[in-house]
Amino acid sequence: MAHPLEDTLIAKQIAPTAMRLLVLDVLIKHPAALSLADVEALLKHADRITVHRTLKTFTDKGLVHRVEDGSGAVKYALCEPTCTPTQHHDLHVHFFCTQCRETSCLPAVPVPVIPLPGAYQVQETSLVMKGLCPRCAGAA
Ligand SMILES: [Zn+2]
Ligand SMILES: [Zn+2]
Ligand SMILES: [Zn+2]
């Protein structure tokens, strides 16, 4: 019997355990990026260590990517289907709403390549823009 959540995990070569299915379900249902504490709060019967281990596995396998939005907590968001364990392709802008404090992926807005002087070797680039999300901007 086909199960879309299981298929998503198997496609990324992650064995579908009950906890992994629960965490994936939470991530799919909440389009904004979630912190470890957010995921833990949404799962009633999970301890932080297990959730953390699950998110690390997802990150290592190319299922989620980490978002550092300056709020202090690392957040996690679902990857684009082309991400693999060896390479993430989520070089997009993230948007932090200063009102509802949700962070969203903007997969249609790629991070531009910024040339650096001399011997600097870039390992990671992240671009977070801050302001009002469409929902909050509409309410203002
Ligand atoms: Zn990714
Ligand atoms: Zn907002
Ligand atoms: Zn993202």
Side-chain angles (χ1 to χ4, degrees), residues 93-115:
V93 170
H94 290 102
F95 192 92
F96 177 72
C97 176
T98 53
Q99 190 152 313
C100 66
R101 306 188 68 78
E102 289 204 338
T103 300
S104 310
C105 292
L106 297 181
V109 188
V111 172
V113 177
I114 301 165

Side-chain angles (χ1 to χ4, degrees), residues 65 67 77 92 94 105:
H65 57 281
V67 184
H92 50 243
H94 290 102
C105 292

Side-chain angles (χ1 to χ4, degrees), residues 24 55 102 109 136:
L24 177 60
L55 289 169
E102 289 204 338
V109 188
C136 294

